[in-house]
Amino acid sequence: MGLLAENPSSRVHLGVLAWRDAPSLQQGWQTTLQALEEQLPEYHLKVHWLDLQELEQAIAGQELDFVLTNPGHYVDLSSRYLLAPLASLQNSSVDPPQQAIGSVVVTLSSREELNDWQDLRGQRLAAVSPDAFGGFQLVQDALEQADFPWQEELASLQFSGFPMEQLLGWLDAGRADAVVLRSCLLESLAEAGAVELSAYRVVAEQKQADYPCLHSSRLYPDWPFLRLGSTNPELARQVTLALLSSHPQKGEVDSYQWTAPLSYQPVYELFERLRLGPFADFPKNPVLAFVQQHRYWLLAALLLVLAVFGHDLRAGYLIRKKTRELKAAEITARQKQQELVHLSRFALMGELTAGLAHELNQPLTAIINYARGSERYLQQPGAQQLPQAQQLQKAMGKIVRQAEQAAATIKNLRSFLRKESPEWQELEPLTLMEEALEFMEAHFRQEAVTVTRDYSSDLPRIRGNPVQLLQILINLLTNASDAMQQLPVAQRQLEVTCKQVGHHLQIQIRDQGPGLTEEAEKLKFTPFFTTKKQGMGLGLGLSLSLTEAHQGQLSLHNTSSTGAVATLKLPVT
């Protein structure tokens, strides 16, 4: 049932934050409540003692006409509800009145080791509520201003709920090592004979002239008396006059009176630092917080700048567009011219290659015949007595194989130029790999290159043209060897691996050279591109074409450490 249920229209509902027990609160607000009843005889004043959540629920349900709460709670509520301060509480013993509320952290007098904020490391701290202004938020700000990471360094943080004075019972019972109280509460309890001040000591005590109470935090304006947006304006005026005309009685312990509303800007600044209330969604970064706070003005300024420079940007865009079109047309024309030159170079190379293949065929045939004749001579019984006959016979065999390889390469080249189909057959991968390494043996010996083999067992057979596959492997081995020419001899290590990966035979040739440059990475398979002084730039491009003709894959890239690795994948039969 709401507070206004079954109430006459002349009843005035005042919600008061119940931060202490009801008898203490009634005694503390006796002067204010009496002044309101005397000045408003035609109204019946109904006071509701509510905690933080109950007070907000009553405001949301429009069950109250006026609210009396602490300044932190007011700033928090103002971000969600229409509230306006009619007056501010003023303690006549405090000067200036803007510094009237603070918090104090107390511990038992026997805990002499607890003097400063840093001494709370590993201690149990208790407070009334995380939303309590004087009961926790002021101390939270003090801890953060002192660069004390209380979330990590405190052993525990407990909240007891209202009333606040029960925290002293927690402290006496050993449930907490230190507690957070609103300043002046300890003095009020001691004045009433409820506690002994000497039993407690203050942690991080602050000194402020003309402030009569112990405190550990900064000081802020006292409580505001608030009206809701739905409150009758004439009633609000009469209540304001009643508050400003009220005066404490002589001999009253708490000599409070009401004055014109004070500025609560320091409380807003506190909440902005802690990112509470209306600043809860603001980021911690000050730059981002500034952008968040002034985002609408910044957006308006940005739109204005865009409107002013919009015409200039459009004109510049059109000019740049025409310029790009002209440059693109010029580049296209230049590329077409280069393509024509490139095609004519290929046509000329084809004619030269055909003639060169024809001219080389006869000398290679003669070399093969002479080498085979010498080999047969050395096989005769009488020739076996010659010094180093076996070495010569072996050398003649190598000459024959090298010459036959050269002749087969020329034959394949002529077939390629004539668009003839190459002859394919089933091949043993290790035999093919060792034959390529044998062809390169003299080159490796001359360049002081050491070859390391890593072959898997039971490799499947592959199908292809042996001459073309040897040509691919020799090109890759030659490139790997040439990449290490500038290295010391001890570092010229070339690793050859051969294994089955899925349905493919994978051959990898890894060198220890400087690796591919950024330009070489992009143009490595482009015809006539080369990084060698004496190279023509045809080896990798031709190898890629031959690999694709075998339905394989060829890649070349840098390794994670040093050097490059060429990977040849061929389908198994």
Side-chain angles (χ1 to χ4, degrees):
M1 180 177 296
L3 298 175
L4 295 179
E6 302 180 359
N7 288 335
S9 59
S10 61
R11 177 165 293 181
V12 177
H13 293 273
L14 171 63
V16 183
L17 177 62
W19 66 282
R20 294 187 63 184
D21 58 90
S24 301
L25 288 173
Q26 291 175 356
Q27 180 181 2
W29 297 115
Q30 181 178 358
T31 302
T32 298
L33 300 179
Q34 183 176 352
L36 290 176
E37 291 176 347
E38 292 176 355
Q39 297 293 328
L40 304 171
E42 67 275 22
Y43 292 98
H44 177 69
L45 180 63
K46 176 65 175 178
V47 182
H48 305 278
W49 311 99
L50 307 173
D51 61 20
L52 294 169
Q53 289 74 22
E54 294 171 343
L55 193 57
E56 180 167 0
Q57 291 175 2
I59 294 174
Q62 296 185 349
E63 299 172 344
L64 300 175
D65 299 300
F66 301 96
V67 173
L68 186 53
T69 186
N70 65 59
H73 195 208
Y74 156 58
V75 170
D76 182 32
L77 293 173
S78 66
S79 63
R80 299 184 293 278
Y81 307 101
L82 290 176
L83 297 172
L86 300 179
S88 293
L89 195 64
Q90 181 180 1
N91 189 340
S92 59
S93 62
V94 175
D95 187 30
Q98 289 84 0
Q99 298 180 350
I101 288 184
S103 292
V104 60
V105 178
V106 299
T107 183
L108 296 176
S109 58
S110 59
R111 299 296 301 274
E112 297 181 358
E113 74 277 9
L114 301 182
N115 297 300
D116 206 345
W117 297 124
Q118 303 300 326
D119 297 333
L120 293 177
R121 184 174 285 105
Q123 303 298 318
R124 298 167 299 165
L125 183 65
V128 66
S129 170
D131 300 322
F133 181 66
F136 178 69
Q137 291 170 346
L138 295 185
V139 170
Q140 177 185 349
D141 180 62
L143 290 171
E144 295 187 5
Q145 294 299 311
D147 294 328
F148 181 74
W150 54 275
Q151 298 95 330
E152 295 84 11
E153 296 294 345
L154 289 176
S156 65
L157 177 60
Q158 307 172 72
F159 297 103
S160 65
F162 294 105
M164 185 179 291
E165 51 262 37
Q166 68 177 322
L167 287 170
L168 293 175
W170 282 35
L171 191 63
D172 295 335
R175 295 181 60 182
D177 299 303
V179 297
V180 181
L181 303 176
R182 176 183 166 178
S183 59
C184 297
L185 174 61
L186 199 61
E187 287 82 356
S188 297
L189 294 174
E191 186 80 17
V195 299
E196 289 289 339
L197 280 179
S198 59
Y200 306 100
R201 59 196 315 272
V202 179
V203 178
E205 183 178 1
Q206 303 293 314
K207 298 295 184 181
Q208 176 70 35
D210 300 326
Y211 188 73
C213 302
L214 300 170
H215 62 288
S216 306
S217 69
R218 297 180 182 179
L219 301 176
Y220 292 86
D222 217 323
W223 285 34
F225 196 101
L226 308 170
R227 59 163 289 191
L228 275 70
S230 58
T231 304
N232 183 281
E234 177 59 25
L235 175 61
R237 187 186 68 82
Q238 296 181 36
V239 168
T240 303
L241 293 176
L243 292 174
L244 296 180
S245 62
S246 66
H247 297 284
Q249 300 177 2
K250 292 184 178 180
E252 202 172 56
V253 176
D254 297 325
S255 57
Y256 289 106
Q257 62 184 17
W258 292 96
T259 184
L262 299 173
S263 171
Y264 290 94
Q265 182 60 30
V267 184
Y268 280 95
E269 294 174 356
L270 167 71
F271 274 47
E272 183 178 1
R273 288 196 301 271
L274 298 179
R275 298 295 185 265
L276 299 174
F279 306 97
D281 296 331
F282 277 36
K284 287 288 187 179
N285 186 289
V287 177
L288 296 179
F290 177 83
V291 174
Q292 172 76 11
Q293 186 175 4
H294 302 90
R295 57 189 181 277
Y296 299 113
W297 287 106
L298 293 175
L299 180 60
L302 178 60
L303 293 176
L304 179 62
V305 170
L306 293 177
V308 170
F309 292 101
H311 177 71
D312 292 339
L313 292 176
R314 183 175 180 275
Y317 167 75
L318 293 176
I319 293 174
R320 289 192 298 271
K321 181 179 178 182
K322 291 294 183 182
T323 303
R324 286 196 300 268
E325 290 176 353
L326 292 173
K327 288 184 177 180
E330 181 182 356
I331 292 173
T332 302
R334 190 182 301 116
Q335 288 177 345
K336 290 182 178 180
Q337 183 179 4
Q338 291 177 350
E339 288 175 0
L340 290 174
V341 173
H342 199 60
L343 290 175
S344 64
R345 188 185 303 170
F346 264 111
L348 179 60
M349 187 187 69
E351 296 177 3
L352 292 175
T353 303
L356 184 62
H358 177 73
E359 294 297 329
L360 290 177
N361 210 23
Q362 291 182 354
L364 285 174
T365 302
I367 292 173
I368 292 173
N369 291 334
Y370 282 124
R372 284 177 175 171
S374 300
E375 188 178 13
R376 286 193 296 271
Y377 174 76
L378 291 172
Q379 291 176 354
Q380 296 177 2
Q384 294 294 328
Q385 305 301 323
L386 294 175
Q388 299 179 344
Q390 293 182 353
Q391 288 81 352
L392 291 173
Q393 185 177 353
K394 184 178 180 180
M396 290 303 166
K398 290 184 178 181
I399 292 174
V400 170
R401 287 192 296 273
Q402 295 282 4
E404 288 176 345
Q405 171 66 19
T409 301
I410 293 174
K411 179 183 177 182
N412 284 332
L413 185 57
R414 293 178 68 181
S415 299
F416 174 74
L417 294 173
R418 295 175 183 174
K419 299 184 179 179
E420 296 178 356
S421 300
E423 297 179 359
W424 283 32
Q425 54 185 288
E426 289 193 359
L427 304 170
E428 290 287 347
L430 296 186
T431 303
L432 186 68
M433 193 71 244
E434 286 301 317
E435 189 172 353
L437 291 172
E438 186 177 354
F439 284 141
M440 294 294 298
E441 182 179 353
H443 179 78
F444 288 158
R445 186 166 51 250
Q446 180 180 356
E447 298 295 334
V449 174
T450 302
V451 179
T452 302
R453 295 168 173 82
D454 183 8
Y455 299 153
S456 298
S457 59
D458 299 331
L459 290 175
R461 296 166 68 89
I462 59 175
R463 182 172 177 78
N465 181 272
V467 176
Q468 292 182 356
L469 294 178
L470 282 174
Q471 192 171 355
I472 296 171
L473 294 174
I474 290 172
N475 279 335
L476 299 180
L477 290 169
T478 302
N479 287 341
S481 174
D482 293 344
M484 298 186 292
Q485 287 183 354
Q486 305 301 324
L487 297 179
V489 173
Q491 298 181 15
R492 299 179 189 178
Q493 302 288 331
L494 191 149
E495 181 182 355
V496 178
T497 62
C498 189
K499 60 183 178 180
Q500 182 178 358
V501 179
H503 297 288
H504 288 78
L505 175 75
Q506 177 177 288
I507 299 175
Q508 285 190 328
I509 301 173
R510 189 186 307 269
D511 64 64
Q512 300 295 322
L516 301 175
T517 62
E518 184 176 353
E519 181 184 15
E521 184 71 31
K522 296 179 180 179
L523 304 175
K524 53 193 173 187
F525 293 116
T526 303
F528 300 109
F529 172 78
T530 181
T531 57
K532 304 176 185 178
K533 294 182 179 180
Q534 306 299 328
M536 294 183 62
L538 296 175
L540 281 178
L542 181 60
S543 298
L544 180 61
S545 299
L546 295 176
T547 302
E548 292 174 348
H550 284 75
Q551 300 179 352
Q553 302 171 16
L554 178 62
S555 64
L556 178 63
H557 57 83
N558 291 327
T559 62
S560 58
S561 55
T562 180
V565 57
T567 302
L568 174 64
K569 290 185 178 181
L570 298 170
V572 300
T573 57

